Amino acid sequence: MKKTYAVIGYPVSHSISPAIHQQALNALEIDASYVPFEITCANQAAAFSGLKALGIDGFNITAPYKEAIIPYLDELADSAKLAQAVNTVKKTDTGYVGYNTDGDGFIASLKEDFKALTLETRFLIIGAGGAAKGILEAMKAQGYNNITITNRTLATAENLAELLNCQSMDLETAQANLADFDCIVQTTSVGMDASSEALPIELTGLRADTFVSDLIYNPQETAFLKAAGSNPKQNGLGMLIYQAALAFEIWTGKWPDIDLMYNTANEKGFKKC
C-alpha cells in the first residue's frame, strides 16, 4: 500500500523537503509520496487532528509548530521529551510518535563543515525557541558542555539554560564578549526575509577564526552570515539534509543517499554558504 509523508508549517512554500525526500524515496524504490501542507495558526488544531484522521504515515514539522504539535501526539521519543520540541512524527501501531532529529542533524552538519570542532569548543547559541531546544538537547547528549545561550528575552534564555545546565547571557553582554566564543549558532527566524538587513546580534569584535552557523538555508547567505565576513561559516542546508535523513530512517528503516539529497537541493537552487 502506498504511503504518504508530509511537511507541515507556515509558510512551507520555501521548503525543499518535498523534493529531497521524494528523490530519496524514488531512489530506494519505496512506493510513497511526500507532500507539503501549509497550515495557518488559526487552523492548527483541526489540521493536526486531520493528519491523524487521514492516517498520514509520517510528517516533518517546521516553524511555528514544533512545540504546538506535542499535545496532539500519542507518545514522545526521548529526543523530543528532552527538547520539548518535535520535528518528525511517525505513525505506529499504537499511535503517533514525535521525535526530534534537528539536534543530531545539526551536529552532523557541524562536524562536516567545522573542522576545528571538539568537545571543548565554546558555543554561543542565539535564540531559545524550538530550534534551539532541539540542537541543545543533542549537543548536551553528545558531550558538548561549554554552551552559553542568549536571547532577546533574557528570561527565556535563563529558563532554557537552567533546564539544560548551560550558561545564559543577555544580548548586550554576549555582543561585548564575542571573542570568548569559538562557534556562534544563530537559531532564530531573523534573516528568513532576504530583503531584511536585521541582525539578531551585531558581530563586531568577532575573532577571525570563530565559526559562524545560521540554521536558515533560504536565503543562502543571510544578513547574519554576510556580517560574519570572511570567517568560516555555514548556512542551514547541511542541517536540513541530515535531519531529513534521520527522519527518513525513522519512517522507512533505511538510510538515504546523502549526496543525492544534496544534489537535489542544489538543483533547486539551494547551496551551502
Side-chain angles (χ1 to χ4, degrees):
M1 182 175 176
K2 187 168 185 173
K3 294 183 179 294
T4 302
Y5 302 105
V7 57
I8 64 171
Y10 188 82
V12 292
S13 58
H14 68 286
S15 177
I16 58 170
S17 292
I20 61 176
H21 277 286
Q22 194 62 61
Q23 286 281 50
L25 289 165
N26 294 346
L28 289 171
E29 299 182 342
I30 296 171
D31 188 16
S33 296
Y34 187 105
V35 294
F37 289 121
E38 189 161 275
I39 296 169
T40 63
C41 291
N43 293 323
Q44 69 179 42
F48 295 160
S49 298
L51 288 169
K52 295 173 68 175
L54 288 170
I56 300 296
D57 295 283
F59 48 95
N60 291 126
I61 302 136
T62 188
Y65 302 125
K66 292 185 179 184
E67 295 164 284
I69 190 71
I70 291 175
Y72 299 89
L73 301 178
D74 301 295
E75 184 182 346
L76 293 181
D78 288 343
S79 59
K81 286 179 184 176
L82 289 169
Q84 281 300 293
V86 170
N87 79 320
T88 299
V89 174
K90 179 182 179 180
K91 179 186 175 185
T92 70
D93 292 338
T94 57
Y96 281 82
V97 181
Y99 300 80
N100 193 305
T101 68
D102 280 337
D104 287 336
F106 169 73
I107 294 172
S109 73
L110 199 61
K111 289 177 178 178
E112 185 173 82
D113 295 331
F114 183 21
K115 305 307 180 185
L117 178 67
T118 71
L119 292 180
E120 286 71 48
T121 293
R122 295 168 296 179
F123 288 92
L124 176 66
I125 307 296
I126 304 171
K133 289 178 183 178
I135 69 170
L136 283 165
E137 175 271 324
M139 290 172 71
K140 295 292 290 188
Q142 292 197 29
Y144 298 95
N145 292 308
N146 200 339
I147 300 170
T148 300
I149 306 168
T150 189
N151 190 59
R152 182 175 57 185
T153 304
L154 178 58
T156 309
E158 290 174 334
N159 291 339
L160 184 56
E162 182 177 358
L163 177 67
L164 292 170
N165 193 27
C166 300
Q167 302 297 314
S168 61
M169 188 178 288
D170 63 74
L171 283 172
E172 291 76 14
T173 304
Q175 186 172 310
N177 291 277
L178 285 182
D180 292 343
F181 301 102
D182 306 308
C183 182
I184 299 174
V185 185
Q186 202 294 107
T187 74
T188 77
S189 60
V190 176
M192 288 188 73
D193 180 354
S195 65
S196 174
E197 294 300 317
L199 297 174
I201 192 172
E202 296 288 340
L203 292 180
T204 52
L206 190 66
R207 286 196 341 251
D209 63 337
T210 297
F211 189 85
V212 179
S213 176
D214 194 326
L215 302 193
I216 295 169
Y217 69 88
N218 183 20
Q220 181 177 330
E221 188 174 42
T222 60
F224 183 73
L225 291 178
K226 289 176 183 175
S230 60
N231 275 58
K233 54 192 172 182
Q234 68 172 184
N235 62 17
L237 184 61
M239 175 180 169
L240 175 79
I241 296 296
Y242 280 103
Q243 66 79 25
L246 290 161
F248 189 98
E249 186 177 41
I250 287 169
W251 294 329
T252 69
K254 298 180 179 181
W255 185 253
D257 185 333
I258 293 292
D259 289 336
L260 175 64
M261 285 183 150
Y262 267 121
N263 290 338
T264 301
N266 293 165
E267 288 169 3
K268 293 292 182 180
F270 300 101
K271 301 180 185 297
K272 283 188 174 185
C273 181

